Amino acid sequence: MKIVIDLTSLYGRKRTGMEMYAVDLYRALLTSEHQIVPMFHGENEVDNNTNAIIIPKCNRLWLENVALSRAVRKIKADIVIFPVFPPPTDLYYGCKSKIFHTIHDTVSLKYRDAQNFAAKYYYRPRSKAFFKKGDGIITISETVKHQLQAITSLPIYNLGENISVDYKDADKHIDKQLLEKWGIA
């Protein structure tokens, strides 16, 4: 089975929990027997995977609405996973790949007013389209899974939280002074 994972969100962005989740999910997929095709924007910042697709640097709107869709259609994967941002809405039409999106929490659904302009008027409508046309949801907790089950009939797969082995010995590198500053030592 050919599985594509969208890692274009890594380029030029701070590595938040969602970006690190995407990298860890990608690394976990590499341990499967499937052909894993990561898609990057600008450059592969993670590894030397020969299957990687590098979408040339371009405007973010062009990337997310044109270049990404073109690349997915060209690859002809069985499954395409979007671990950070919702998929482009045009992929639901004329694309034979199954589309999966990771939903980390339901903040965007419950607290619309707390979102910034881009999230409210760009990403939220794309998420709503996904709920109607997507093939499955990946989530990281039972709480989020139950919240999503109340609003969608899509299959939901809780893969659980994944903390990279890179942080296995993080407790040995703690600066106690920093923790005391915040009152959490």
Side-chain angles (χ1 to χ4, degrees):
M1 180 181 303
K2 187 186 288 187
I3 301 173
V4 169
I5 182 165
D6 172 31
L7 298 175
T8 59
S9 63
L10 300 177
Y11 182 76
R13 293 175 49 92
K14 292 180 181 176
R15 298 283 170 99
T16 68
M18 288 179 21
E19 284 81 13
M20 295 311 295
Y21 171 86
V23 171
D24 290 342
L25 177 60
Y26 164 60
R27 288 180 178 155
L29 288 170
L30 287 174
T31 66
S32 72
E33 72 278 0
H34 304 293
Q35 179 185 0
I36 308 304
V37 180
M39 287 193 312
F40 295 95
H41 180 212
E43 63 182 299
N44 179 344
E45 301 176 49
V46 178
D47 62 10
N48 295 320
N49 187 335
T50 56
N51 292 325
I53 301 296
I54 312 287
I55 298 173
K57 291 180 189 177
C58 58
N59 174 287
R60 189 121 201 117
L61 283 173
W62 182 265
L63 170 72
E64 293 180 0
N65 294 289
V66 178
L68 194 54
S69 297
R70 284 181 182 168
V72 167
R73 284 188 167 85
K74 188 176 179 180
I75 296 167
K76 297 180 182 172
D78 299 295
I79 295 173
V80 183
I81 300 171
F82 292 86
V84 178
F85 294 123
T89 53
D90 70 304
L91 283 181
Y92 307 123
Y93 307 98
C95 179
K96 297 185 190 293
S97 303
K98 291 189 182 279
I99 308 296
F100 286 77
H101 175 41
T102 300
I103 298 181
H104 301 267
D105 58 49
T106 57
V107 170
S108 65
L109 304 171
K110 292 182 170 189
Y111 306 104
R112 183 177 188 266
D113 292 337
Q115 295 181 301
N116 66 27
F117 183 84
K120 194 182 296 185
Y121 297 106
Y122 179 65
Y123 290 117
R124 190 168 193 263
R126 288 175 60 174
S127 291
K128 288 180 121 182
F130 172 77
F131 285 126
K132 293 178 184 173
K133 301 284 187 175
D135 294 294
I137 297 170
I138 298 168
T139 191
I140 62 170
S141 75
E142 282 299 310
T143 300
V144 174
K145 180 178 179 179
H146 292 302
Q147 291 170 343
L148 291 170
Q149 286 172 330
I151 61 169
T152 184
S153 60
L154 291 176
I156 303 168
Y157 305 94
N158 175 11
L159 300 185
E161 294 186 38
N162 63 332
I163 298 174
S164 173
V165 295
D166 296 346
Y167 305 104
K168 182 179 177 192
D169 297 322
D171 59 334
K172 295 177 181 148
H173 306 285
I174 295 172
D175 184 341
K176 299 253 187 213
Q177 290 177 334
L178 289 174
L179 295 177
E180 288 169 0
K181 176 182 175 184
W182 298 103
I184 54 175

